[in-house]
Amino acid sequence: MGLSAHLRWLLPPDAPQPAPGAWCLCRLPLVLMIVCLLTGCSRRPDPNTLVMIIESSPANLDPRVGIDGQSERLDELIFDDLLTRDQHFNFHPGLAESWQVPDPLTYVFHLRHGVKFHDGRPLTARDVKWTFDSLIQGKVISTKASTYRYVDRIDTPDDYTVVFHLKEPFATLLWNLSGAALGIVPYGSGGEVTQHPIGTGPFRFVSAQQDRDVILERNGNYWGAEPHLERIRFAVVPDTTTRALELRKGSADVAINALTSDMVLALRRQPNLQLLHAPGTVLAYLNFNLRDPILKDVRVRQAIAFAIDRRPMIHYLLRDFARPAYSILPPESWAYNGDVPRYAYDPERARQLLDSAGYQAVNGVRFHLTMKTSTEEGTRLLAAVLQQQLRAVGIALDIRTFEFATFFSDVTRGEFQLYSLRWIGGNEDPDIFELVFHSRRLPPNGNNRGYYVNPRLDSLIDQARQELDQNTRKQLYAEVQDILAQEVPSINLWYFDNVLLANKRVKNLTLDPSGSYDFLKTAELAH
């Protein structure tokens, strides 16, 4: 669907609307039918292999190194972390069946007995110590090393006890030992893990071919609930339309968050497919450069927030596969504060704020702003809609589009007035506030790309990072979110839903807010 077709649906409510059903300009069903006739749809799936489509090959399956989405999601299946997280991002036992924090600088973990790596070696404290020491001491070069910079040393008083000693209090340590943070590798593991990862997880690695596939098989000796799937083939399919065709033909079984909203709506009518969608945590946001002479005025930022109407964008661009966002944290987080100032669509209020800031309209224009975007279609559409909506309050938005590498380079150097990106995973833990809004995290030392500085906010974040009591931390982060909502250094737009399409032969599917591949641990193939 072209840009003009999308924008037609973002007109004011009183604008003339097309006849019912006329909006469905997507030609995907016809394309699917033609390709199916040409290529044949009679291929029978392997009854013992689930084929899941992924957009790209994992960059590195060493859990100490890989930071891209595919690497981390596949690592969750191959490796286990010390702790796991539930849907509200609270911690639960993983390889560590229990833990204590006797003082703010000491964390003691007690490992499960009887856990084995895929090659049969027993898991002991020595393996846990090696995994972290190899990273912290630079035996394995990785950007993840900085995550554990507050770890002073790790002791192993016996085979099933691991003690982390910290240089200073660091309440987010547990987060960085859970989920897909850092899976445990066998003692002595070096660079060979990249080519042949060996973990303790529910699936074991079989093979990987760059830009083709990754194959995993069930770990029959798994210490936890044994998965039902015998084999999973992760087929790399970079092209979105081809991904849709593979699902339509039945030559692929599952795809999650890998299709456009229009394709999802077309494919869900196919008799062989089922659709699951549930709230997710991936956040779309708009960021301001507060060094800019116009945007440094909080009234201007608040006015822009009042001028943006999320509703038509969520409905027409995203086909309602998203929900409005009012914090960088998702509502599922234990630290989420929903009781903060909100900016409902109010163009008149936006005009009043701009008037009070001294920006009177001349020939309908108060000032110009430039928004940088990548060539990705969704981002370009968002920018075009924002251009429409801001024009209504007298702001002329100029759009500059770049290849992603150039765009992202400018963003990380602070060379922008406005841009939009997504937070994927990092916003599930409240430590995101330190990375994104603390004054010590100005580029190049972090992701405070908008150069926001607030001493009160810095103090609250520092207190929360060292506070072990979760209720106290929650109160501190509640005030952090209230300040950010008032000062609007960025605008939280929406959280994308997790959208999974699967062949109906796949049973027992569930969705996690993080969009992980954990559903493969319980999925079954009907025979």
Side-chain angles (χ1 to χ4, degrees):
M1 185 181 290
L3 183 62
S4 60
H6 275 293
L7 296 184
R8 192 181 338 170
W9 304 105
L10 298 160
L11 296 172
D14 55 351
Q17 296 293 310
W23 60 269
C24 191
L25 303 179
C26 179
R27 298 188 178 91
L28 181 60
L30 178 60
V31 173
L32 291 172
M33 181 178 69
I34 293 172
V35 174
C36 188
L37 291 171
L38 292 174
T39 61
C41 295
S42 59
R43 179 179 174 183
R44 299 186 64 182
D46 182 341
N48 298 316
T49 301
L50 180 142
V51 179
M52 178 169 168
I53 293 174
I54 57 177
E55 301 95 314
S56 58
S57 290
N60 194 315
L61 288 176
D62 186 333
R64 300 166 294 181
V65 179
I67 59 172
D68 61 292
Q70 295 300 344
S71 294
E72 291 197 345
R73 284 171 165 79
L74 289 175
D75 281 345
E76 282 188 87
L77 303 176
I78 301 170
F79 299 90
D80 291 312
D81 288 60
L82 288 176
L83 306 178
T84 62
R85 307 171 194 153
D86 64 20
Q87 293 199 347
H88 296 283
F89 311 114
N90 294 306
F91 304 117
H92 296 276
L95 290 176
E97 60 184 1
S98 64
W99 65 96
Q100 295 91 38
V101 186
D103 62 71
L105 298 179
T106 310
Y107 289 69
V108 183
F109 297 90
H110 303 282
L111 303 181
R112 296 179 185 274
H113 291 241
V115 177
K116 293 185 177 181
F117 286 99
H118 298 150
D119 62 0
R121 282 180 281 179
L123 172 92
T124 68
R126 185 173 75 155
D127 302 299
V128 176
K129 177 176 169 60
W130 172 266
T131 299
F132 290 93
D133 281 352
S134 63
L135 194 62
I136 296 167
Q137 297 171 7
K139 295 183 176 70
V140 173
I141 305 302
S142 170
T143 57
K144 285 190 177 184
S146 63
T147 303
Y148 306 97
R149 64 189 179 278
Y150 296 118
V151 176
D152 183 38
R153 71 182 192 280
I154 300 172
D155 293 334
T156 54
D158 60 58
D159 282 350
Y160 296 98
T161 304
V162 181
V163 183
F164 283 72
H165 299 278
L166 304 184
K167 301 172 185 176
E168 62 181 68
F170 185 51
T172 59
L173 176 68
L174 294 180
W175 178 267
N176 295 315
L177 301 177
S178 65
L182 192 62
I184 303 304
V185 300
Y187 174 80
S189 295
E192 77 284 352
V193 178
T194 298
Q195 302 300 323
H196 192 77
I198 296 175
T200 61
F203 293 92
R204 68 176 188 88
F205 175 82
V206 176
S207 64
Q209 298 184 67
Q210 184 68 27
D211 298 327
R212 181 175 176 181
D213 63 19
V214 178
I215 296 176
L216 306 182
E217 286 185 348
R218 178 170 60 202
N219 174 13
N221 294 316
Y222 188 52
W223 58 268
E226 187 175 322
H228 299 286
L229 298 173
E230 291 187 25
R231 175 179 282 239
I232 306 170
R233 176 175 177 258
F234 295 90
V236 179
V237 183
D239 180 69
T240 309
T241 302
T242 305
R243 294 197 285 268
L245 294 172
E246 294 294 325
L247 286 168
R248 168 64 174 79
K249 290 187 297 179
S251 50
D253 294 302
V254 176
I256 182 171
N257 300 334
L259 301 170
T260 67
S261 298
D262 286 331
M263 288 180 175
V264 171
L265 291 178
L267 285 170
R268 73 176 180 181
R269 295 192 292 268
Q270 300 300 314
N272 65 317
L273 296 176
Q274 57 183 314
L275 169 67
L276 279 76
H277 85 274
T281 62
V282 174
L283 172 75
Y285 68 96
L286 182 69
N287 207 26
F288 299 114
N289 190 331
L290 273 63
R291 296 179 301 175
D292 183 83
I294 296 174
L295 294 172
K296 69 180 181 181
D297 191 324
V298 66
R299 292 169 295 183
V300 172
R301 303 195 300 273
Q302 291 173 341
I304 292 172
F306 278 121
I308 294 174
D309 189 357
R310 297 173 176 85
R311 295 169 300 172
M313 290 188 272
I314 290 175
H315 183 60
Y316 293 112
L317 290 186
L318 303 174
R319 304 302 192 198
D320 294 320
F321 292 125
R323 53 182 169 155
Y326 303 105
S327 171
I328 193 171
L329 294 179
E332 290 80 8
S333 170
W334 59 268
Y336 177 77
N337 178 19
D339 187 23
V340 298
R342 297 187 178 188
Y343 298 85
Y345 178 55
D346 189 345
E348 182 56 36
R349 178 68 177 137
R351 295 185 191 99
Q352 293 171 0
L353 284 165
L354 292 171
D355 286 341
S356 70
Y359 294 102
Q360 303 297 320
V362 178
N363 297 324
V365 177
R366 300 174 188 271
F367 52 77
H368 285 256
L369 290 176
T370 298
M371 180 174 178
K372 290 188 175 182
T373 77
S374 71
T375 54
E376 195 269 324
E377 182 184 13
T379 304
R380 292 189 299 108
L381 290 171
L382 168 63
V385 175
L386 290 175
Q387 186 180 54
Q388 258 190 351
Q389 295 184 347
L390 295 183
R391 183 183 300 136
V393 299
I395 299 174
L397 185 65
D398 302 319
I399 301 171
R400 299 288 181 266
T401 303
F402 304 88
E403 290 297 326
F404 185 82
T406 302
F407 161 72
F408 193 66
S409 176
D410 285 352
V411 164
T412 55
R413 294 199 307 268
E415 296 179 5
F416 63 88
Q417 282 184 299
L418 291 165
Y419 74 86
S420 179
L421 271 175
R422 301 176 184 181
W423 284 114
I424 302 175
N427 63 313
E428 293 168 0
D429 181 70
D431 204 43
I432 186 83
F433 294 117
E434 193 269 344
L435 177 67
V436 178
F437 297 113
H438 200 289
S439 62
R440 66 169 163 258
R441 287 299 199 156
L442 300 176
N445 298 316
N447 289 356
N448 188 350
R449 300 163 182 156
Y451 291 83
Y452 174 68
V453 176
N454 182 322
R456 172 59 181 165
L457 194 86
D458 288 352
S459 175
L460 289 167
I461 291 172
D462 289 339
Q463 290 178 61
R465 296 186 88 215
Q466 297 190 15
E467 176 60 57
L468 296 182
D469 180 76
Q470 185 163 298
N471 288 328
T472 304
R473 293 185 74 204
K474 182 178 175 67
Q475 294 171 16
L476 293 168
Y477 284 127
E479 186 175 348
V480 166
Q481 291 167 82
D482 186 71
I483 291 172
L484 292 172
Q486 293 181 52
E487 300 208 341
V488 205
S490 63
I491 296 176
N492 302 302
L493 295 173
W494 49 73
Y495 309 104
F496 293 91
D497 285 355
N498 290 311
V499 180
L500 184 148
L501 275 166
N503 192 290
K504 288 184 177 178
R505 78 182 187 122
V506 187
K507 308 297 181 183
N508 289 345
L509 289 169
T510 59
L511 286 178
D512 184 86
S514 68
S516 72
Y517 297 167
D518 274 4
F519 62 88
L520 296 171
K521 298 176 182 179
T522 58
E524 297 183 55
L525 288 177
H527 295 293

